[in-house]
Amino acid sequence: MDQDSYDTAGRELSEAGSRITPFCATAPSEEKQNQPNAEISCQVSKEKTGKDVLQDSNTSQGSHSSMTTKELQEYWKKEKRQCRQVSLVFEIPSTRIAEHHLSKYVMYKIIILQTGSFDCNKSIIERRYSDFEKLHRKLLEDFSEEMEDVTFPKKTLTGNFTEEIINERKLAFKDYLRLLYSMKYIRRSKKFIDFLTRPELEEAYGCLRGGQYTKALEILLEVIGLQERLMRGNPVLVVPTLCAIVVCHKDLENPASAFEYGEEALLRLRVHTSHRYYIPLLETMIALAYELGKDFLALQEKLEELKAKKHPAKIFTLKELAVREYVQ
């Protein structure tokens, strides 16, 4: 996924449990100066180009004109619910000491929740000190001014495994993630999102390439929830993961589940028909619809229309595209 796509991404994210103290992403004064009002999820539409806004407005007016009064009331209720102010909460409740070959290190368990919505899901990942350190170096390359006042826990030569040092770092890393997420351009950056999702995605795609579809699917289903929270402003970015889930379900002979996730991917690509995944996804959905006894004529017509417009070239299958993701 290219940097420009990531730079356009960004929405406020998900929920906190009863024991969590929520942190609002718009709290720091630095961001308030740039954006006086708190960011809310429905504001992403304002960041579209004038052309996109005009298209959306025309589409919206056309669709609303055929609605009954009751349907309109339900529509605006739904829109209002989606405009709730949301932000991510990071907790590091525990750690574990891991050993790999001759090295020994501490793994920090990070729980990521979302406030301001009814979503009760949470994401759990593990990262070590060197992962945080690598993230800090990368962010300094692009956001040196924004990170002038961001402190990072210093490395110590001894005592890294003492309870005192581990507890200090747990609190420090929690505040560190909270502060990074509070800065709009950092939380939308590819480097920050990669820190939270890439290790798991690389593992999942490695399993997919090795034919371990059950394991790959398990990981992908965990990651997709976090990706959707991080990329609400640009839902197209989650299409590769959705398509990988389709591939796993299809190869595990779960056509109904594959079709369900394929519909989610098509929904995100409805105005992005030139996307590299679109034609392979249509082909897969037609095959799945035929297998499930569903109507696929509309999908077939769309596929033929797109193929007629494209120059003759090799079109990868959905599975071929999936196995190429995250290849070093």
Side-chain angles (χ1 to χ4, degrees):
M1 301 175 189
D2 56 84
Q3 178 69 42
D4 290 341
S5 295
Y6 271 97
D7 287 340
T8 63
R11 291 286 297 271
E12 278 62 31
L13 311 170
S14 205
E15 155 205 334
S18 60
R19 296 182 294 110
I20 307 300
T21 302
F23 172 81
C24 179
T26 56
S29 57
E30 179 180 287
E31 182 158 315
K32 282 185 177 179
Q33 293 172 359
N34 297 326
Q35 187 171 356
N37 298 322
E39 285 190 301
I40 54 178
S41 57
C42 61
Q43 284 181 316
V44 174
S45 61
K46 295 180 182 178
E47 296 173 6
K48 295 180 180 179
T49 63
K51 182 179 179 181
D52 289 339
V53 172
L54 181 60
Q55 289 175 344
D56 287 351
S57 176
N58 292 337
T59 302
S60 177
Q61 290 174 4
S63 61
H64 291 172
S65 63
S66 62
M67 286 184 176
T68 65
T69 301
K70 184 177 180 180
E71 287 173 335
L72 279 170
Q73 289 173 343
E74 290 300 318
Y75 173 82
W76 289 118
K77 282 181 183 178
K78 183 179 179 182
E79 288 294 302
K80 189 175 181 180
R81 285 196 298 269
Q82 290 176 347
C83 288
R84 293 178 183 275
Q85 185 174 330
V86 295
S87 61
L88 275 189
V89 174
F90 298 90
E91 289 293 320
I92 305 181
S94 62
T95 62
R96 65 180 178 90
I97 297 176
E99 295 188 46
H100 183 67
H101 298 306
L102 299 177
S103 63
K104 182 179 177 182
Y105 48 87
V106 178
M107 296 295 294
Y108 296 85
K109 180 180 180 180
I110 306 168
I111 299 179
I112 306 164
L113 305 105
Q114 180 172 301
T115 66
S117 78
F118 297 112
D119 184 3
C120 60
N121 293 328
K122 63 183 178 182
S123 299
I124 301 174
I125 59 176
E126 282 190 319
R127 298 292 183 266
R128 55 188 290 190
Y129 180 93
S130 59
D131 295 325
F132 282 97
E133 189 177 38
K134 194 177 300 181
L135 169 67
H136 192 68
R137 287 200 306 268
K138 288 180 178 179
L139 291 178
L140 284 173
E141 294 172 1
D142 297 335
F143 306 103
S144 57
E145 290 185 9
E146 290 86 343
M147 297 186 64
E148 280 182 349
D149 298 324
V150 178
T151 57
F152 188 81
K154 294 181 179 179
K155 185 177 290 186
T156 59
L157 297 177
T158 59
N160 287 313
F161 302 103
T162 63
E163 185 177 352
E164 182 182 1
I165 293 295
I166 290 175
N167 285 334
E168 284 179 3
R169 285 184 175 174
K170 277 169 54 179
L171 294 173
F173 285 141
K174 173 186 171 180
D175 288 340
Y176 178 73
L177 291 173
R178 174 185 62 80
L179 187 53
L180 292 183
Y181 179 73
S182 73
M183 292 182 274
K184 180 175 64 175
Y185 295 108
I186 290 181
R187 70 171 172 268
R188 293 180 179 181
S189 71
K190 181 178 185 298
K191 292 175 179 178
F192 182 68
I193 294 173
D194 275 354
F195 170 80
L196 296 173
T197 61
R198 189 174 180 110
E200 286 72 23
L201 286 170
E202 287 181 347
E203 181 183 1
Y205 279 97
C207 291
L208 193 156
R209 285 189 287 273
Q212 301 176 50
Y213 302 114
T214 301
K215 180 63 175 176
L217 182 60
E218 179 185 337
I219 300 170
L220 289 168
L221 291 175
E222 288 288 333
V223 176
I224 189 69
L226 179 56
Q227 276 190 307
E228 287 179 333
R229 291 177 177 87
L230 291 166
M231 302 170 183
R232 285 179 183 269
N234 195 343
V236 175
L237 295 177
V238 302
V239 166
T241 305
L242 287 170
C243 288
I245 292 173
V246 171
V247 169
C248 289
H249 274 306
K250 189 172 184 296
D251 281 17
L252 289 169
E253 299 182 356
N254 299 325
S257 296
F259 191 84
E260 179 184 348
Y261 280 94
E263 285 185 314
E264 288 292 322
L266 281 178
L267 185 64
R268 287 159 172 76
L269 292 177
R270 63 188 182 278
V271 293
H272 301 277
T273 56
S274 61
H275 195 282
R276 61 195 174 97
Y277 269 88
Y278 193 64
I279 288 180
L281 179 59
L282 278 177
E283 292 176 331
T284 299
M285 290 295 284
I286 290 168
L288 288 169
Y290 179 81
E291 184 178 352
L292 294 167
K294 294 178 179 289
D295 181 16
F296 57 86
L297 290 179
L299 294 172
Q300 185 71 51
E301 290 174 2
K302 188 64 178 176
L303 178 63
E304 291 173 359
E305 178 187 338
L306 287 172
K307 282 188 172 181
K309 292 179 180 179
K310 278 187 167 288
H311 297 294
K314 175 175 173 55
I315 299 175
F316 293 108
T317 66
L318 197 67
K319 187 171 183 178
E320 287 173 337
L321 279 179
V323 298
R324 282 168 167 77
E325 294 284 347
Y326 296 98
V327 174
Q328 301 296 334

